């Protein structure tokens, strides 16, 4: 794992003049950022060694989260400063509510998860905390707040998705297709766009607001790693009080 960087964005630039604002966010989130991106759960997807019970737990939790992610995107569409930004976010929202929903339904059927189990499932504590942070940041916070939380979630999936796509394609369709959804050019372009938005806006914010964004990204990284761990083990891990 990478070493934690505790300094300000200006301190970071002093050590790496060409660094991006989002590079600093990731550096400030260590070691949790690396833990999320390299969790054994993500490797098992590409290795085709995922236990069915673990993946069923994961999909049920993720399915309960999709509605909150859609709401987050709706808040950001409303707060985006221009039509170009609104269009990018709205396009991702449309994808989320079409292709991904179809994937969930086919995967649940293959895993033997009954509709009454996933349609009425309550969010577990980690998923609830993850959703609350996203919704609060996007709904009550600034555009940059919500975008930072969204970036952490999507950039993590792009990172492990591109890595696992380098392996032999899994024979299990729901594992292969999950990699496909997160290792395609369109998804990478969307994540790159979020990074560019924050790289453009972040350096102009006050030092206090920059620190707040770093705290959000770090907390999201903690919860992302915990989300994978809960699905992988079936146990909710202890979360640090002040990560």
């Amino acid at each position: 794992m990478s070493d934690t960087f505790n300094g300000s964005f200006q301190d970071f630039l002093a050590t790496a003049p060409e660094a991006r604002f989002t590079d600093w966010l990731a550096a400030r989130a260590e070691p949790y950022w690396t833990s999320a991106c390299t969790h054994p759960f993500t490797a098992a997807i590409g290795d085709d060694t995922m236990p069915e019970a673990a993946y069923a737990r994961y999909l049920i939790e993720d399915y309960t989260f999709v509605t909150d992610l859609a709401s987050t995107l709706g808040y950001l569409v409303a707060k985006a400063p221009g039509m170009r930004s609104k269009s990018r976010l709205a396009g991702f929202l449309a994808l989320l509510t079409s292709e991904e929903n179809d994937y969930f339904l086919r995967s649940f059927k293959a895993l033997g998860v009954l509709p009454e189990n996933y349609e009425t499932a309550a969010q577990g504590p980690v998923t609830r905390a993850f959703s609350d942070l996203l919704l609060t940041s996007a709904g009550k916070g600034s555009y940059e707040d919500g975008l930072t939380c969204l970036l952490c979630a999507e950039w993590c999936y792009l990172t492990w998705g591109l890595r696992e796509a380098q392996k032999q394609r899994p024979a299990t369709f729901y594992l292969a297709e999950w990699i496909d959804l997160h290792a395609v050019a369109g998804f990478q372009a969307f994540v790159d766009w979020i990074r560019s938005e924050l790289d453009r806006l972040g350096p102009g914010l006050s030092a206090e607001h920059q620190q707040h964004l770093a705290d959000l990204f770090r907390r999201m990284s903690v919860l992302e790693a915990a989300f994978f761990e809960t699905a992988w083990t079936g146990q909710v891990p202890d979360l640090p009080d002040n990560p």
Side-chain angles (χ1 to χ4, degrees):
M1 294 183 185
S2 302
D3 294 332
T4 302
F5 182 86
N6 293 318
S8 68
F9 177 54
Q10 290 304 315
D11 293 335
F12 195 63
L13 287 179
T15 63
E18 301 302 317
R20 301 167 63 174
F21 183 77
T22 51
D23 292 329
W24 174 68
L25 293 178
R28 284 292 303 265
E30 293 295 0
Y32 305 108
W33 171 243
T34 297
S35 293
C37 295
T38 62
H39 193 279
F41 182 92
T42 65
I45 295 175
D47 292 339
D48 206 358
T49 56
M50 177 68 66
E52 287 189 359
Y55 205 67
R57 282 193 295 268
Y58 168 77
L59 283 187
I60 290 171
E61 286 293 328
D62 208 43
Y63 194 69
T64 70
F65 167 70
V66 168
T67 300
D68 291 333
L69 179 56
S71 297
T72 295
L73 289 163
Y75 285 131
L76 290 175
V77 169
K79 292 183 177 183
M83 190 57 68
R84 183 173 297 179
S85 300
K86 292 179 186 294
S87 178
R88 294 302 295 264
L89 291 160
F92 187 66
L93 176 57
L95 179 67
L96 179 71
T97 54
S98 57
E99 286 187 26
E100 284 205 19
N101 189 63
D102 175 69
Y103 165 83
F104 278 112
L105 299 182
R106 290 185 291 110
S107 300
F108 283 136
K109 183 176 180 180
L111 287 162
V113 180
L114 299 176
E116 52 264 35
N117 291 334
Y118 62 79
E119 289 177 353
T120 62
Q123 289 184 337
V126 173
T127 311
R128 183 71 262 156
F130 196 85
S131 292
D132 284 348
L133 186 55
L134 261 174
L135 289 169
T136 301
S137 297
K140 297 181 179 180
S142 68
Y143 175 63
E144 294 86 358
D145 293 354
L147 212 59
T148 294
C149 290
L150 181 66
L151 174 64
C152 183
E154 304 305 335
W155 190 9
C156 174
Y157 272 63
L158 176 66
T159 300
W160 69 254
L162 290 175
R163 184 190 68 233
E164 298 308 309
Q166 300 304 308
K167 300 177 180 178
Q168 181 176 341
R169 184 176 171 81
T172 308
F173 87 85
Y174 49 77
L175 300 179
E177 289 188 20
W178 200 230
I179 294 172
D180 292 344
L181 283 168
H182 299 101
V184 294
F187 183 63
Q188 183 167 4
F190 179 66
V191 175
D192 288 345
W193 172 80
I194 303 175
R195 290 193 67 189
S196 296
E197 278 284 273
L198 282 171
D199 290 337
R200 177 176 65 86
L201 298 169
L205 300 174
S206 68
E208 291 77 16
H209 199 171
Q210 290 176 350
Q211 176 63 49
H212 177 61
L213 297 186
D215 291 343
L216 288 175
F217 196 96
R218 186 175 177 85
R219 185 62 180 171
M220 284 289 293
S221 297
V222 170
L223 293 171
E224 190 73 80
F227 186 83
F228 290 137
E229 182 68 13
T230 301
W232 188 238
T233 65
Q235 302 294 321
V236 178
D238 293 331
L239 299 176
D241 293 328
N242 296 296

